[in-house]
Amino acid sequence: MPELTINGKKHSFKPGQSILQAALDQDVEVPHYCYHPGLSVVADCRICIAEVWQPNAKTGKLEPFPKLVPTCQQIAAEGMVVYTDSPKAVANQKSVMEFLLINHPVDCPVCDQAGECHLQDYSYQYGRGQSRFTEAKNKQPKKDIGPNVLLYSDRCIMCTRCVRFTREVTGTNELMVDGRGSTEQIDIFPGMALDNELSGNVVDLCPVGALLDKDFLFQQRVWFLKKTPSIDGITASGDNISVEHNDGRVYRVKPRQNDDVNKWWITDEVRYGWKFVHSDARLTLPATRSRDAFDPLKPMEAWREAVAAVDAAMSACVSVKKKHLALLVSPMLSCEDAYNLARYALSIDAEAMLAVGPVPFQGEDKTFPGGFTIRAEKAPNARGVRRVLEALAGGKPVANAQGFEQAIASGKYGAAIVTGNYPSDWVTPALAASLKSVETIVAIDTLPNAVTSMATVVLPGAAWVEKAGSFENATGRLQSFEQAIEPVEFAKSESQIALDLAAARAGRVAAGYCAASTRAEMAKLAGLECMANAVHAPEHTATVESDMVMVEL
Ligand code: SF4
Ligand code: FES
């Protein structure tokens, strides 16, 4: 690999990389605003500029470039020597910072970006600390530019990342640069709105607080948020996300970079699709048809009684009524949930019917000019659930939702466990009608619907951000996700419910659900060996703390 020297240290780089890319790959910090790995290079912010020397092709002697060089644009070359900390480079950084702050309102205390703002961070690291500008600042308007995004124009540093995104990634071209010089501003074209399906990504791209998410506006200071690596739990994309939460409440979902899946982007559907997690309608306590509502002050008792009722009804169905058990596993559930629920069902009835729940579709897959694809399939794990159920069924194909409906309408089945966990109403009239022929219905779900209202027992399940597990996406990629928050009130993960039911059956204390050990157990089964070595786990990237020096006051 060729090598260059940055600030006195040798680093290797890939041929074709710019100096900035080479530096960032090696965790060498070089300030940059307009550069983004997912967009074209325009070199307009000028803060990445450095002093560069290169060996003369004939003599091999190091010679300086005649002027400072934008490292985001200059391709790295063997033997190059780069200084981002030389007096000339530092003087440029200070000048750029001073220039960018001339008209900036410096309203950090009321800005949502505070705490994750490159302008703020670079001010500390590369700025002057004092403004010499005494004239009146240009005032720019706040603009409502789309259903999800606000533009605070006077905080903008004209890096044009947002404009390039709408040109290069979505191809929708809603944004432009209007005006010249100090009155230059970002705007939408007349008669347009920033309303494409990926619009929220411009908020992530904006290095300062100019583009803000309406949904997150003034909701939390970002330094209170904890970030949990997760996977899209709404569609089949398998997009890598970060669930940002505080005090048991999700506040926002952001993309997590994965070059093999979603790169740096997510759809607005994934960004805002988690809202059902905190819906007031969430099921939070078990309920059984044969008795009054459980006392919310005694949740443990409620669970004990409901679990015992379910297990007794399941056993009676098989051993007394000589009928079979049916299990409908929602494609919204994880592989681990499918495994634990199916194992429980098979422990009661070795011939239990295992089926995959309805898989919702909306239109067709849509691919943007930048290569990002929105999946029409609106369930995260149809393939994973099917894979697990078929392995447990000895390799035989399992039914889909229609097959399940037809089979239970035959009257052969005395009890059904039906799982949901969809973000909105999912029960079709056909499913509700077919369930009428089943005596005992156990609904495990997050929101009320036609099945929960006809169920014998309702058990409140946990949304994907409330548990750990793994999903298999539309391309067959298995990815694990971590638990971000505790389940709301007294809800439990479907895996934990299955373990509770199995423990009640065996008359012992239930084991606590652990995603990793469930996967290890699953991997011993023929057809599920992939759970041992093919599940992509989130990479925990170390957070680089600010190198700001604390000054004694
Ligand atoms: S709004 Fe943000 S992303 Fe767009 S040009 Fe201004 S600073 Fe850059
Ligand atoms: S990052 Fe190089 S000029 Fe903006």
Side-chain angles (χ1 to χ4, degrees):
M1 278 252 239
E3 282 188 334
L4 83 172
T5 307
I6 306 175
N7 299 336
K9 259 184 100 175
K10 283 204 165 176
H11 298 281
S12 54
F13 63 91
K14 296 186 200 114
Q17 274 190 318
S18 66
I19 298 172
L20 181 61
Q21 284 167 332
L24 296 178
D25 269 10
Q26 303 289 327
D27 287 335
V28 177
E29 194 185 314
V30 178
H32 58 282
Y33 288 118
C34 65
Y35 169 77
H36 186 280
L39 302 172
S40 60
V41 173
V42 287
D44 67 7
C45 75
R46 315 309 277 182
I47 196 154
C48 72
I49 285 178
E51 205 177 326
V52 180
W53 295 61
Q54 190 168 357
N56 182 300
K58 287 191 188 135
T59 62
K61 202 171 150 234
L62 271 181
E63 289 174 359
F65 276 60
K67 51 187 182 175
L68 297 179
V69 172
T71 56
C72 60
Q73 204 169 39
Q74 178 63 50
I75 300 300
E78 174 67 44
M80 236 178 204
V81 177
V82 180
Y83 297 99
T84 66
D85 59 359
S86 70
K88 277 189 195 167
V90 170
N92 172 72
Q93 289 153 6
K94 286 191 186 302
S95 301
V96 170
M97 285 309 302
E98 184 176 24
F99 175 71
L100 290 177
L101 288 168
I102 280 181
N103 283 310
H104 191 278
V106 199
D107 55 347
C108 307
V110 294
C111 178
D112 260 8
Q113 191 86 357
E116 55 184 11
C117 175
H118 287 215
L119 196 59
Q120 213 176 38
D121 293 347
Y122 292 169
S123 284
Y124 284 118
Q125 288 167 267
Y126 307 102
R128 298 176 56 91
Q130 252 182 335
S131 173
R132 294 180 294 174
F133 189 73
T134 51
E135 292 81 355
K137 294 189 177 210
N138 276 350
K139 286 210 166 46
Q140 303 255 31
K142 291 186 185 63
K143 296 176 194 164
D144 187 352
I145 59 170
N148 301 315
V149 183
L150 284 174
L151 169 62
Y152 283 59
S153 303
D154 50 10
R155 295 179 188 156
C156 172
I157 58 163
M158 297 308 296
C159 71
T160 72
R161 281 184 179 193
C162 54
V163 176
R164 281 175 281 148
F165 179 79
T166 61
R167 288 184 186 165
E168 298 162 14
V169 180
T170 60
T172 46
N173 295 296
E174 298 97 336
L175 296 176
M176 62 164 169
V177 177
D178 187 28
R180 305 283 284 170
S182 65
T183 59
E184 211 179 29
Q185 54 181 284
I186 297 298
D187 212 336
I188 36 174
F189 279 99
M192 291 184 100
L194 182 67
D195 58 358
N196 65 68
E197 295 94 328
L198 304 182
S199 71
N201 291 291
V202 297
V203 176
D204 307 331
L205 276 174
C206 185
V208 299
L211 289 168
L212 295 179
D213 187 341
K214 285 184 189 175
D215 187 64
F216 183 67
L217 198 68
F218 308 137
Q219 292 298 308
Q220 276 281 294
R221 302 305 338 209
V222 297
W223 49 87
F224 293 132
L225 295 175
K226 291 159 211 73
K227 301 178 184 184
T228 303
S230 186
I231 301 295
D232 162 22
I234 308 287
T235 79
S237 70
D239 287 351
N240 288 213
I241 56 170
S242 171
V243 177
E244 303 197 3
H245 52 96
N246 182 25
D247 249 347
R249 202 170 180 87
V250 177
Y251 282 93
R252 64 180 183 182
V253 160
K254 291 256 187 192
R256 196 159 47 83
Q257 186 187 341
N258 186 324
D259 295 343
D260 298 327
V261 188
N262 51 309
K263 301 204 167 13
W264 305 269
W265 326 122
I266 51 170
T267 60
D268 290 354
E269 182 182 20
V270 173
R271 190 179 295 270
Y272 306 115
W274 52 269
K275 292 301 177 75
F276 77 99
V277 171
H278 298 299
S279 161
D280 290 341
R282 276 289 297 271
L283 300 169
T284 55
L285 198 64
T288 66
R289 183 165 287 283
S290 54
R291 77 184 303 288
D292 291 340
F294 286 111
D295 182 350
L297 295 177
K298 296 177 182 164
M300 302 281 277
E301 208 174 289
W303 270 105
R304 234 184 341 263
E305 200 179 307
V307 162
V310 171
D311 191 56
M314 296 295 136
S315 297
C317 159
V318 177
S319 51
V320 181
K321 295 176 187 145
K322 306 290 177 206
K323 289 205 169 186
H324 286 293
L325 182 59
L327 170 68
L328 186 69
V329 183
S330 165
M332 308 305 290
L333 301 190
S334 66
C335 296
E336 294 78 357
D337 288 340
Y339 176 77
N340 283 316
L341 286 166
R343 287 249 307 165
Y344 170 69
L346 292 170
S347 74
I348 300 171
D349 176 9
E351 289 173 45
M353 171 175 53
L354 307 179
V356 184
V359 183
F361 278 84
Q362 249 172 45
E364 289 181 1
D365 286 0
K366 175 175 174 181
T367 301
F368 287 91
F372 187 91
T373 298
I374 298 181
R375 298 285 168 190
E377 189 177 326
K378 304 303 180 193
N381 197 31
R383 286 155 196 78
V385 166
R386 182 168 293 280
R387 181 192 289 275
V388 171
L389 297 187
E390 288 185 348
L392 283 165
K396 290 200 292 278
V398 295
N400 61 12
Q402 279 165 347
F404 176 87
E405 286 161 18
Q406 284 161 7
I408 54 169
S410 68
K412 200 171 133 194
Y413 295 90
I417 300 175
V418 180
T419 59
N421 219 320
Y422 296 81
S424 54
D425 196 6
W426 63 278
V427 181
T428 58
L431 175 66
S434 66
L435 282 169
K436 285 191 183 135
S437 55
V438 179
E439 198 177 317
T440 304
I441 302 167
V442 177
I444 307 178
D445 215 330
T446 44
L447 294 168
N449 51 52
V451 172
T452 58
S453 52
M454 69 197 293
T456 324
V457 181
V458 177
L459 302 175
W464 96 103
V465 293
E466 298 167 332
K467 59 193 176 187
S470 56
F471 290 149
E472 182 173 344
N473 77 353
T475 62
R477 182 183 170 96
L478 275 162
Q479 301 180 106
S480 63
F481 54 93
E482 295 179 7
Q483 178 180 3
I485 56 171
E486 289 298 320
V488 293
E489 298 200 22
F490 313 115
K492 289 187 184 190
S493 74
E494 283 77 352
S495 281
Q496 189 59 61
I497 292 173
L499 294 176
D500 287 359
L501 287 166
R505 187 162 183 71
R508 55 173 165 75
V509 178
Y513 164 61
C514 166
S517 48
T518 306
R519 283 197 288 277
E521 193 183 311
M522 290 161 83
K524 293 181 194 147
L525 211 66
L528 292 184
E529 297 84 354
C530 55
M531 300 309 291
N533 49 24
V535 180
H536 298 264
E539 266 178 40
H540 283 274
T541 42
T543 314
V544 180
E545 289 295 326
S546 163
D547 57 359
M548 229 168 70
V549 181
M550 292 300 287
V551 180
E552 293 274 336
L553 293 175

